[in-house]
Short mmCIF file of all heavy atoms in Angstrom, two decimals:
data_model
loop_
_atom_site.label_atom_id
_atom_site.label_comp_id
_atom_site.label_asym_id
_atom_site.label_seq_id
_atom_site.Cartn_x
_atom_site.Cartn_y
_atom_site.Cartn_z
N VAL R 104 7.50 2.44 18.61
CA VAL R 104 7.99 2.16 17.27
C VAL R 104 7.21 3.06 16.32
O VAL R 104 5.98 3.13 16.40
CB VAL R 104 7.85 0.71 16.92
CG1 VAL R 104 8.26 0.44 15.43
CG2 VAL R 104 8.65 -0.19 17.85
N ARG R 105 7.86 3.69 15.39
CA ARG R 105 7.19 4.56 14.42
C ARG R 105 7.51 4.02 12.98
O ARG R 105 8.65 3.87 12.64
CB ARG R 105 7.66 5.98 14.56
CG ARG R 105 7.13 6.96 13.46
CD ARG R 105 5.65 7.12 13.55
NE ARG R 105 5.19 8.32 12.84
CZ ARG R 105 4.76 8.35 11.55
NH1 ARG R 105 4.73 7.22 10.89
NH2 ARG R 105 4.39 9.48 11.02
N THR R 106 6.48 3.74 12.19
CA THR R 106 6.69 3.31 10.84
C THR R 106 6.27 4.44 9.92
O THR R 106 5.22 5.03 10.04
CB THR R 106 5.85 2.07 10.51
OG1 THR R 106 6.37 0.94 11.22
CG2 THR R 106 5.89 1.74 9.01
N PHE R 107 7.13 4.74 8.94
CA PHE R 107 6.85 5.74 7.92
C PHE R 107 6.52 5.03 6.61
O PHE R 107 7.33 4.26 6.07
CB PHE R 107 8.10 6.65 7.73
CG PHE R 107 8.35 7.51 8.91
CD1 PHE R 107 9.29 7.12 9.88
CD2 PHE R 107 7.69 8.72 9.07
CE1 PHE R 107 9.52 7.88 11.00
CE2 PHE R 107 7.91 9.50 10.20
CZ PHE R 107 8.82 9.10 11.17
N VAL R 143 12.82 3.94 17.92
CA VAL R 143 12.89 3.03 16.80
C VAL R 143 11.99 3.55 15.66
O VAL R 143 10.80 3.74 15.87
CB VAL R 143 12.45 1.59 17.17
CG1 VAL R 143 12.50 0.69 15.97
CG2 VAL R 143 13.30 1.01 18.29
N CYS R 144 12.62 3.74 14.51
CA CYS R 144 11.87 4.20 13.31
C CYS R 144 12.08 3.22 12.19
O CYS R 144 13.22 2.82 11.92
CB CYS R 144 12.29 5.62 12.90
SG CYS R 144 11.91 6.92 14.07
N THR R 145 11.03 2.82 11.56
CA THR R 145 11.13 1.94 10.37
C THR R 145 10.54 2.61 9.17
O THR R 145 9.70 3.53 9.28
CB THR R 145 10.39 0.59 10.62
OG1 THR R 145 9.01 0.80 10.48
CG2 THR R 145 10.72 0.03 11.99
N ALA R 146 10.94 2.17 8.01
CA ALA R 146 10.40 2.67 6.74
C ALA R 146 10.01 1.42 5.89
O ALA R 146 10.60 0.35 6.06
CB ALA R 146 11.39 3.51 5.99
N ILE R 147 9.05 1.65 4.98
CA ILE R 147 8.59 0.51 4.17
C ILE R 147 9.48 0.27 2.96
O ILE R 147 9.31 -0.72 2.25
CB ILE R 147 7.14 0.76 3.68
CG1 ILE R 147 7.03 2.06 2.88
CG2 ILE R 147 6.19 0.75 4.86
CD1 ILE R 147 5.69 2.22 2.19
N ILE R 158 16.22 6.43 10.48
CA ILE R 158 15.43 5.22 10.18
C ILE R 158 16.38 4.04 10.38
O ILE R 158 17.36 3.90 9.71
CB ILE R 158 14.92 5.24 8.72
CG1 ILE R 158 14.06 6.47 8.48
CG2 ILE R 158 14.15 3.94 8.44
CD1 ILE R 158 12.79 6.53 9.22
N SER R 159 16.03 3.20 11.38
CA SER R 159 16.94 2.12 11.73
C SER R 159 16.63 0.82 11.01
O SER R 159 17.53 -0.02 10.87
CB SER R 159 16.85 1.85 13.25
OG SER R 159 15.53 1.60 13.66
N HIS R 160 15.39 0.63 10.51
CA HIS R 160 15.01 -0.64 9.86
C HIS R 160 14.15 -0.35 8.66
O HIS R 160 13.33 0.60 8.63
CB HIS R 160 14.23 -1.52 10.82
CG HIS R 160 14.98 -1.94 12.03
ND1 HIS R 160 15.21 -1.10 13.13
CD2 HIS R 160 15.60 -3.10 12.36
CE1 HIS R 160 15.89 -1.74 14.03
NE2 HIS R 160 16.15 -2.96 13.62
N ILE R 162 11.28 -2.35 6.74
CA ILE R 162 10.40 -3.51 6.77
C ILE R 162 9.28 -3.25 5.75
O ILE R 162 8.53 -2.28 5.94
CB ILE R 162 9.80 -3.75 8.16
CG1 ILE R 162 10.93 -3.96 9.21
CG2 ILE R 162 8.86 -4.96 8.14
CD1 ILE R 162 10.43 -4.15 10.61
N TYR R 346 8.47 -7.38 12.72
CA TYR R 346 8.03 -6.38 13.72
C TYR R 346 8.06 -6.94 15.14
O TYR R 346 8.40 -6.24 16.10
CB TYR R 346 6.59 -5.87 13.40
CG TYR R 346 6.58 -4.80 12.37
CD1 TYR R 346 6.04 -4.95 11.10
CD2 TYR R 346 7.14 -3.53 12.67
CE1 TYR R 346 6.03 -3.95 10.17
CE2 TYR R 346 7.16 -2.53 11.71
CZ TYR R 346 6.58 -2.73 10.46
OH TYR R 346 6.58 -1.72 9.55
N LEU R 349 11.27 -6.33 16.82
CA LEU R 349 11.46 -4.97 17.27
C LEU R 349 10.74 -4.71 18.56
O LEU R 349 11.25 -4.03 19.46
CB LEU R 349 10.97 -3.99 16.20
CG LEU R 349 11.66 -3.91 14.87
CD1 LEU R 349 11.05 -2.79 14.02
CD2 LEU R 349 13.16 -3.70 15.06
#
Side-chain angles (χ1 to χ4, degrees):
V104 174
R105 173 67 161 95
T106 292
F107 293 94
V143 177
C144 293
T145 77
I147 59 170
I158 302 294
S159 55
H160 298 77
I162 302 178
Y346 276 114
L349 294 185

